[in-house]
Amino acid sequence: MIKDYALHFPPVLITEEQQTLHKAVHDFVNREIIPIRERLEDEGDLQQKVRKLLVDIGLQRLSMPKEYGGEGIRGTLLNALICEELSRGDVGIAVSLMCTGWAWKPAISGNIKAVLDRFMPDFCGDKVQIGCFAMTEPGGPHGGGGCDIENAVYRGTKLRTTARFEGDECVVNGSKLWATNSGIADLYCIACTVDPKLGEDGIVLAYVPKKWPGLTVGPDEKKCGLKTDHNCPVYFDDLRIPGEWSIGPGGKAAELFWAQLPGVSSGAMATGIMQGIMETVLEYTGQRIVADKPIREHGGPAETLADLAMETELARTWYLTTAYMCDHPEIYGPKKGFLAARMNMARITSEKAVRCAEKAIQLMGSYGYVREYHVEKYWRDSLMITLWKGGTRLSRHNVCRAYYDLEI
Amino acid sequence: MKYNMCRPVNKYLDTFISDEDMAMIETIAKFVEKEVFPKRLDLEGGWHRDEKLAEGTLDDLYAKLVALGYQKLGVPKDYGGMGISTALRLALNEELARGDSGLSVHAGKAHAVLGPFVATGNVKKAREYADKLLSNDCYTAALMISEPQGSVNIEDPAQKGRTIRTKAERRGNEYVLNGHKIWGGPAGPAEIFQREKLKGHLGYSLVATTDPSAGDEGIAVFHVPADSPGLSFSNYIKTMGMCFTDRNCEMWLENVRIPEELRTGGVEIMRSRMTTGRLGCAARCVGVAQAGFEIALDFMKDREIDGKPVRERSLFAAQLGEIASEIEACRAHYLYVASMLDNPKKYGPRWSEAMIARASAARLMAGRMVLSTLKKVMEFMGAYGYSFEYQIEKYYRDIIILQQGFGGPQRDALDAIRSYYTFDWR
């Protein structure tokens, strides 16, 4: 039996409304995801079923604008709480849901009427609709990996996917890699440029629906984990969309593009994984007898368990306080400078999730290595979080930038 | 503040710290930069450990803090003080520790004896000591918990007081105390605390047992005045850090007679100390790490490798980024736990298993963080980091006791996990 007051670490920063929503998602995950989490990564149908359930409990339309049928509830902290809970069940499902919101963010913030009118009603409906924000590119002699494109220092000069404006049409050429929901998305938001030499002024964000002429996708990447988050190459070959489905150039798209980058959700997802590990390993070590008593009642393992508990609580404090700051720009200002640094720090906490999983596997011996004991999946999944958005190595540089000018 | 990120307003979240409180933090932060930074090495008596210099510097800095109103802060509003929140108290501890962790520990000592009187509703005595703290005179006081057989035994909730050997025997309306304590400090004959800038020692808040077989019920906390007949002391224990700022010694009690009204509660008071003490250490660890980090930022700006500042090379930048992250995370966490501590209705009293667990986890984490931070900074600075005048090695020595007081890291870990399931050694 786990003493429950320690498990439900009650956050002091969240409002009653947020607590209620959080509790609903918490119960939902226990009821619908935890029992099937072991099968989820191999069974596409099951993933789709879970996505539909998310639509049914209103999470897909939660942050969408009210005038299109959404709930209009936006906020970094609430989003992060939802991320933590979903990730406890399956982090890929959380990522997939968040990336739908992510693809929509520029259109909502920039109030791009043509895109909103055409696609938003579907996303607020009863069917599963998936969004994809495509940023990273395959690279080449000029670079172009996530680490370059997502590095603010390069100001968009590393983008090689081009947008050309012809009459009232926008023509996109190039390719993208690694974007979450690629291949299964209903709507793509593609970061491209009219000319990489123009830097930020050249950046364009283009919205493209699925199966659009000129859009093709490759096979899914074969990844070691996070399999419920689908990634594949996406190719654009003289893809023509109405010009009004795009944002920029001239700086407006750049602003929206950079606003996409910092985020606390990675930290929240890592926390969810750690909480999941903690619950799993507490149960196992409470039942498994070694030298005549449960593993967790031996001093050494107890200390390791304390480490896991401590790291989990710290990670949670971290994303909650940072998210709170993001939600109060009147005090903490825009998401740059020190706030961007804190958000980058939140991503660094994902490394702790990897270490926690390793420790938990050690406590469980060979069982920890076995699929049906869940922890090995948390471990595989957590590795991916440390690699997003240029990876936690790049995050460290971004942290430094809040303290001093750093030009590598 | 040289770095925008390091300004108090960017360090402490406004949900935990009000604007008014922030002003107080700013004051202390400025005091640390202006008054404490230049005297950091003097607090250890300089390279030659000159006792007079160390003592004089400590008294002088504490007197300046008292003049700023520091001694009044922790006195509850009902008694005419400021009654500050736990979060603010910790933030101030952090700021002082950024200058010198020993000074930060010393500055909180005087309140050790007031809390139990307030908590147990002994209004008369509480007022007497509150009035002293509210005056412009400087005082100190100490906790006495550990015993030679191992402090870990005494503070371990699983032992339920069975291993406490300092006995209190009731005779009429008095208690007679006999036993042997160690590590509490500052301790010593009362007269040595009457110095030019120190008015006196307010006494010891001491843990004893009325009956070891009675478990938690037997645990009793007493206020032992510093000049009580029957007290004797060893010489100071020579420690690797906080050499003069937190002077520890052994204390023997031989038929020390304490009036009944100076019994200040029992197990709850003792366990509260574990929570607040460990959380205080967590805050100080963060302050020291912050100081080390800032020293590294400065040093690595001026130091070059192949014509470029060290901190602009990605190998080092990445590590600096990591240090910053860990400091910020540990800070956010102790503030978070502090806010829970001030809301006992929702999160449980400070002596509860859950709150002890949270404070222990906060300290365990902060202790590891500050050790690894200072080790890294020392690596960055090469032999300079190893040199006395660059401060780092002193910070490094000082913080060890922040990890060890109130039970060490292993004790923290067990108390943290105890809130998830029962762990009792058997």
Side-chain angles (χ1 to χ4, degrees):
Chain A
M1 216 2 232
I2 299 168
K3 302 181 187 177
D4 65 344
Y5 57 79
L7 264 182
H8 303 291
F9 195 45
V12 291
L13 301 160
I14 72 179
T15 63
E16 291 293 327
E17 188 196 21
Q18 288 166 337
Q19 287 203 20
T20 313
L21 271 160
H22 172 253
K23 177 80 170 64
V25 180
H26 178 88
D27 295 343
F28 169 82
V29 169
N30 283 348
R31 197 173 60 240
E32 304 289 351
I33 303 186
I34 297 277
I36 55 160
R37 60 183 161 163
E38 191 188 324
R39 288 159 55 205
L40 207 50
E41 60 179 342
D42 292 332
E43 298 178 31
D45 294 352
L46 217 47
Q47 292 166 22
Q48 203 56 17
K49 232 179 240 172
V50 171
R51 286 200 182 89
K52 176 71 172 87
L53 290 171
L54 292 178
V55 177
D56 294 345
I57 62 168
L59 286 186
Q60 181 173 289
R61 66 176 162 269
L62 185 72
S63 62
M64 302 304 183
K66 274 195 175 146
E67 56 270 40
Y68 294 95
E71 298 291 339
I73 301 177
R74 305 184 70 185
T76 313
L77 200 142
L78 181 60
N79 235 13
L81 283 170
I82 294 170
C83 275
E84 184 195 328
E85 284 306 330
L86 291 178
S87 306
R88 198 166 54 85
D90 184 285
V91 67
I93 292 293
V95 178
S96 177
L97 177 72
M98 287 303 138
C99 284
T100 295
W102 207 35
W104 269 111
K105 222 173 105 189
I108 296 173
S109 311
N111 196 21
I112 311 303
K113 276 279 176 211
V115 178
L116 289 166
D117 290 346
R118 171 78 168 73
F119 302 108
M120 186 52 98
D122 286 346
F123 277 78
C124 296
D126 294 332
K127 290 209 183 86
V128 176
Q129 290 285 301
I130 300 171
C132 168
F133 185 70
M135 209 165 35
T136 307
E137 297 182 2
H142 60 277
C147 193
D148 273 352
I149 291 185
E150 284 124 72
N151 190 340
V153 170
Y154 289 117
R155 321 193 79 76
T157 55
K158 295 289 182 183
L159 282 164
R160 287 299 180 276
T161 298
T162 58
R164 195 171 73 239
F165 287 88
E166 283 180 9
D168 51 10
E169 282 188 329
C170 172
V171 187
V172 181
N173 275 291
S175 66
K176 293 283 177 186
L177 267 186
W178 287 122
T180 287
N181 293 339
S182 45
I184 60 168
D186 299 279
L187 180 69
Y188 294 82
C189 177
I190 299 153
C192 40
T193 176
V194 287
D195 179 0
K197 284 194 216 72
L198 292 176
E200 295 193 334
D201 284 346
I203 298 178
V204 171
L205 295 173
Y207 280 89
V208 183
K210 69 176 174 187
K211 293 182 180 161
W212 197 254
L215 176 86
T216 47
V217 295
D220 269 2
E221 302 292 349
K222 298 185 183 67
K223 298 180 297 177
C224 104
L226 207 70
K227 292 179 184 173
T228 48
D229 159 21
H230 295 265
N231 316 112
C232 64
V234 189
Y235 307 101
F236 319 108
D237 191 11
D238 275 335
L239 178 148
R240 282 168 187 276
I241 51 165
E244 56 183 6
W245 289 1
S246 68
I247 312 173
K252 189 178 176 194
E255 199 179 305
L256 295 169
F257 176 73
W258 296 126
Q260 295 282 77
L261 283 176
V264 275
S265 49
S266 309
M269 288 171 190
T271 310
I273 287 182
M274 286 151 91
Q275 182 69 41
I277 293 170
M278 189 69 198
E279 288 171 19
T280 313
V281 76
L282 272 175
E283 194 184 333
Y284 179 89
T285 54
Q287 287 163 0
R288 179 94 175 155
I289 308 292
V290 168
D292 300 331
K293 60 180 178 180
I295 291 177
R296 69 185 193 184
E297 283 167 33
H298 290 274
E303 196 193 359
T304 308
L305 287 168
D307 273 7
L308 301 188
M310 170 188 99
E311 299 285 13
T312 309
E313 297 209 350
L314 180 68
R316 183 172 298 122
T317 305
W318 188 245
Y319 88 71
L320 283 176
T321 48
T322 309
Y324 175 88
M325 286 174 149
C326 294
D327 284 343
H328 291 84
E330 72 284 2
I331 304 167
Y332 299 103
K335 293 178 194 174
K336 45 187 190 188
F338 90 100
L339 203 43
R342 283 185 68 103
M343 284 187 260
N344 276 289
M345 293 172 191
R347 197 172 323 137
I348 298 176
T349 56
S350 60
E351 291 173 9
K352 308 254 180 182
V354 180
R355 269 177 251 148
C356 282
E358 287 167 355
K359 284 182 187 166
I361 290 173
Q362 284 169 356
L363 284 177
M364 294 170 69
S366 302
Y367 292 92
Y369 202 62
V370 172
R371 173 76 67 99
E372 63 179 287
Y373 287 85
H374 311 296
V375 176
E376 64 87 34
K377 175 171 177 296
Y378 283 124
W379 178 68
R380 288 185 284 117
D381 287 353
S382 63
L383 275 170
M384 188 64 195
I385 305 184
T386 67
L387 307 173
W388 284 336
K389 297 185 187 174
T392 47
R393 297 278 126 193
L394 183 65
S395 301
R396 286 170 168 76
H397 291 174
N398 290 336
V399 168
C400 283
R401 291 197 171 102
Y403 290 84
Y404 61 94
D405 292 330
L406 173 67
E407 297 280 349
I408 301 292
Chain B
M1 307 295 134
K2 220 177 287 175
Y3 304 96
N4 186 41
M5 281 288 278
C6 306
R7 290 173 52 217
V9 62
N10 285 338
K11 285 203 289 197
Y12 306 102
L13 203 62
D14 80 314
T15 17
F16 304 130
I17 301 289
S18 68
D19 289 350
E20 197 183 323
D21 290 357
M22 197 68 82
M24 213 161 329
I25 296 175
E26 299 263 7
T27 308
I28 296 298
K30 273 185 205 136
F31 169 80
V32 165
E33 295 202 344
K34 188 163 161 270
E35 304 282 351
V36 185
F37 275 6
K39 302 275 185 192
R40 279 182 283 194
L41 300 177
D42 291 351
L43 279 166
E44 202 170 48
W47 176 241
H48 297 291
R49 302 269 165 93
D50 179 338
E51 191 175 341
K52 276 223 163 70
L53 176 62
E55 208 173 81
T57 311
L58 182 65
D59 284 355
D60 186 50
L61 287 174
Y62 187 57
K64 283 177 176 157
L65 277 173
V66 172
L68 284 175
Y70 195 88
Q71 214 170 237
K72 297 184 175 72
L73 297 176
V75 179
K77 284 203 173 110
D78 293 347
Y79 293 92
M82 305 285 288
I84 59 173
S85 69
T86 306
L88 175 58
R89 181 175 66 81
L90 294 175
L92 293 172
N93 272 324
E94 179 190 326
E95 289 302 329
L96 281 179
R98 182 168 160 257
D100 186 280
S101 51
L103 175 66
S104 167
V105 169
H106 181 81
K109 293 276 190 190
H111 292 87
V113 295
L114 176 62
F117 284 129
V118 174
T120 53
N122 189 339
V123 180
K124 183 177 145 241
K125 279 285 162 191
R127 192 163 298 287
E128 180 188 330
Y129 284 95
D131 286 347
K132 290 190 177 183
L133 294 175
L134 293 172
S135 71
N136 292 323
D137 299 324
C138 307
Y139 289 99
T140 192
L143 300 178
M144 274 291 174
I145 304 175
S146 303
E147 296 183 7
Q149 75 274 20
S151 54
V152 158
N153 276 324
I154 296 185
E155 285 149 4
D156 186 349
Q159 309 293 347
K160 300 200 180 302
R162 285 185 298 254
T163 46
I164 299 176
R165 306 248 168 91
T166 298
K167 299 243 172 63
E169 199 186 321
R170 191 169 179 129
R171 276 192 216 147
N173 53 5
E174 273 185 343
Y175 283 92
V176 177
L177 270 55
N178 277 291
H180 183 181
K181 291 279 174 189
I182 188 170
W183 294 121
E191 59 275 14
I192 67 166
F193 296 99
Q194 284 148 19
R195 305 195 286 249
E196 190 196 338
K197 287 183 178 167
L198 190 67
K199 177 97 179 200
H201 196 297
L202 296 181
Y204 305 91
S205 182
L206 178 138
V207 172
T209 177
T210 51
D211 177 6
S213 64
D216 280 350
E217 293 291 305
I219 297 176
V221 178
F222 291 94
H223 174 80
V224 179
D227 54 1
S228 305
L231 291 182
S232 56
F233 301 90
S234 71
N235 285 333
Y236 289 125
I237 300 167
K238 297 183 182 73
T239 51
M240 75 182 260
M242 294 199 193
C243 306
F244 299 101
T245 42
D246 184 29
R247 296 229 277 196
N248 321 112
C249 57
E250 291 181 74
M251 176 166 128
W252 288 270
L253 300 100
E254 216 180 322
N255 294 324
V256 176
R257 306 175 85 84
I258 300 293
E260 181 179 48
E261 62 163 355
L262 296 186
R263 176 168 175 177
T264 53
V267 63
E268 289 171 355
I269 298 287
M270 182 180 91
R271 301 257 159 85
S272 304
R273 299 282 197 211
M274 289 166 63
T275 307
T276 51
R278 287 177 187 172
L279 208 50
C281 290
R284 293 180 186 114
C285 287
V286 173
V288 174
Q290 177 76 33
F293 178 57
E294 287 174 37
I295 290 174
L297 281 176
D298 291 350
F299 185 89
M300 292 160 84
K301 173 171 178 269
D302 298 332
R303 189 100 178 142
E304 294 184 349
I305 296 178
D306 197 14
K308 193 172 170 180
V310 175
R311 70 181 194 181
E312 283 172 36
R313 302 215 164 253
S314 73
L315 170 64
F316 298 95
Q319 297 182 61
L320 282 172
E322 189 163 322
I323 289 174
S325 311
E326 291 186 347
I327 293 174
E328 291 257 334
C330 287
R331 177 182 297 123
H333 195 61
Y334 84 67
L335 289 170
Y336 192 53
V337 178
S339 74
M340 294 175 133
L341 216 54
D342 284 345
N343 193 351
K345 262 203 196 117
K346 193 162 180 188
Y347 304 110
R350 44 187 64 194
W351 56 85
S352 66
E353 217 170 34
M355 290 319 296
I356 293 177
R358 288 183 176 119
S360 303
R363 201 255 306 246
L364 178 57
M365 207 140 43
R368 283 186 194 162
M369 179 279 292
V370 66
L371 263 179
S372 71
T373 297
L374 294 178
K375 178 74 178 41
K376 274 267 169 65
V377 172
M378 213 180 247
E379 286 170 12
F380 295 152
M381 294 173 67
Y384 294 93
Y386 195 64
S387 306
F388 190 61
E389 66 175 302
Y390 281 83
Q391 318 282 352
I392 289 295
E393 67 89 36
K394 176 170 177 296
Y395 280 119
Y396 200 80
R397 285 183 286 113
D398 283 350
I399 49 120
I400 303 294
I401 197 63
L402 293 179
Q403 263 195 317
Q404 310 283 30
F406 303 97
Q410 284 75 24
R411 170 87 269 127
D412 283 351
L414 292 185
D415 288 336
I417 204 60
R418 203 168 258 140
S419 65
Y420 289 81
Y421 63 89
T422 306
F423 180 94
D424 63 4
W425 292 110
R426 268 172 278 182

